[in-house]
Amino acid sequence: MRVLETGLDGVVIIEPSVHGDERGFFKESWKASSYIEHGLPGAFAQTNVSRSQKGVLRGLHYQYRQPQGKLVSVLEGRIFDVAVDVRRGSLSFGRWAGVELSAQNHRQLYVPEGFAHGFIVLSDSALFHYDCTTEYAPQFEAAIAWNDPDI
């Protein structure tokens, strides 16, 4: 497993080890000890899966109380995924990092608590998987427009 910095504190790209041959592939999509070793969560409170069609834009969502860290990946298709720092007082407040995630590249993005998250589907459809560090709390949900001029 390789962990790549994005330039935003705590937002990292994870490249799991993938073992493939003519029959297909095998990868560990999450292993507590490996993730803890890299400073990532060793447990999650909720797992979600969503499917979206080409051009669908989801986000930029965050929870201002009971914030969620998210480990995101794509099981089918291809997306462009974005994390935006919404931590007031942070040196990188308002900055964003983005990465293409796909079933082919097997990459994951870890989006820590205090960041807004969103993605756009680049393929005909995408099956998106994410583990969250806390449970969804709709009463604390907020959103930022994808085209916010300050971001």
Side-chain angles (χ1 to χ4, degrees), residues 72-95:
V72 300
S73 62
V74 173
L75 303 175
E76 295 175 2
R78 187 168 62 99
I79 67 168
F80 185 72
D81 201 88
V82 175
V84 179
D85 189 347
V86 295
R87 301 171 299 168
R88 295 218 183 266
S90 165
L91 293 176
S92 59
F93 179 78
R95 289 188 37 222

Side-chain angles (χ1 to χ4, degrees), residues 57-148:
L57 177 70
R58 297 202 185 264
L60 299 160
H61 300 282
Y62 66 99
Q63 290 182 185
Y64 55 89
R65 288 196 187 133
Q66 193 175 314
Q68 292 181 303
K70 297 177 181 175
L71 177 64
V72 300
S73 62
V74 173
L75 303 175
E76 295 175 2
R78 187 168 62 99
I79 67 168
F80 185 72
D81 201 88
V82 175
V84 179
D85 189 347
V86 295
R87 301 171 299 168
R88 295 218 183 266
S90 165
L91 293 176
S92 59
F93 179 78
R95 289 188 37 222
W96 63 274
V99 62
E100 185 174 305
L101 303 176
S102 71
Q104 288 71 37
N105 71 19
H106 301 279
R107 284 181 154 186
Q108 301 171 320
L109 184 68
Y110 182 68
V111 180
E113 296 175 0
F115 286 77
H117 173 257
F119 65 91
I120 187 166
V121 179
L122 303 174
S123 53
D124 289 338
S125 69
L127 186 61
F128 184 78
H129 178 272
Y130 52 112
D131 294 313
C132 303
T133 57
T134 60
E135 293 184 10
Y136 175 62
Q139 69 274 26
F140 302 132
E141 183 172 9
I144 303 168
W146 67 273
N147 60 352
D148 185 301

